[in-house]
Structure formats: C-alpha cells, structure tokens
Amino acid sequence: MSILFSDIREFTATSEKLSPEQNFKFINDYLEIMVPIVRKNNGFVDKFIGDAIMAIFPENADDAIHCALEMQAAIPEVNTKISKYLDKGIENGIGINI
C-alpha cells in the first residue's frame, strides 16, 4: 500500500486574496481535475485536509507514482481554469509513502 499527499503551494496566501465564492470555485476547480486522476490510477481519496488530498493506492506503488506525475502534468489545465479569478498560476507539492 502507498499513500500520496498532495497540496497547493501557498494556498493560504492565495486564498486570502479571493472572496469566499472564489475560494469555493478555486478549490472545486482544482479537485475536479485532480480527483479523477487518483481514481484513474487505481487509488481512492481517503480524505481532504483543507486543500490537501490524501489518497491511498492499495495495489501497487507504481500507481501512486504515475498519479503524482499526472497530477503535476495537469497543473497547466488547472491554471487555465482558475485564470478567470487568479492572476497567477498555482503549483502543487506531492509526497508519497511507499
């Protein structure tokens, strides 16, 4: 079993610049892209911790690694989606315990 943690870098500073409605849209736009990537790679979301995702990959450590790579590759898509209300893109950090 492998566990993946992913979070948005500087989320607190970024969210402080947004209205509550924009924050809600921001986190949902992010999760709409990231959660399906977890599922596609044979994982499941155990919990959301603020902006962080904790996902479990019960079968194979490679699933978690592939998921992390796909999540990183999806950041430009997230940035395009959130550009309506954020003037700069985001970065995410990912850690895996194998």
Side-chain angles (χ1 to χ4, degrees):
M1 179 182 303
S2 299
I3 302 172
L4 177 146
F5 287 93
S6 171
D7 75 339
I8 300 169
R9 298 282 187 210
E10 300 179 20
F11 176 74
T12 301
T14 301
S15 67
E16 288 173 347
K17 298 174 187 172
L18 302 173
S19 70
E21 293 82 15
Q22 289 172 321
N23 260 309
F24 186 77
K25 180 109 175 88
F26 171 40
I27 198 71
N28 279 315
D29 285 346
Y30 176 76
L31 295 175
E32 280 179 0
I33 293 171
M34 295 300 166
V35 171
I37 294 172
V38 172
R39 291 186 186 129
K40 176 184 167 196
N41 287 283
N42 306 311
F44 64 90
V45 174
D46 178 64
K47 66 181 83 175
F48 299 105
I49 309 164
D51 64 302
I53 300 169
M54 178 180 166
I56 297 176
F57 297 83
E59 299 292 321
N60 188 333
D62 287 346
D63 292 338
I65 294 166
H66 290 290
C67 179
L69 293 171
E70 284 187 46
M71 290 172 98
Q72 288 292 85
I75 290 298
E77 180 184 356
V78 172
N79 286 334
T80 298
K81 199 167 189 179
I82 65 173
S83 66
K84 297 170 246 170
Y85 44 85
L86 269 177
D87 56 353
K88 72 173 198 167
I90 63 162
E91 295 178 8
N92 69 342
I94 300 172
I96 301 171
N97 185 335
I98 298 177

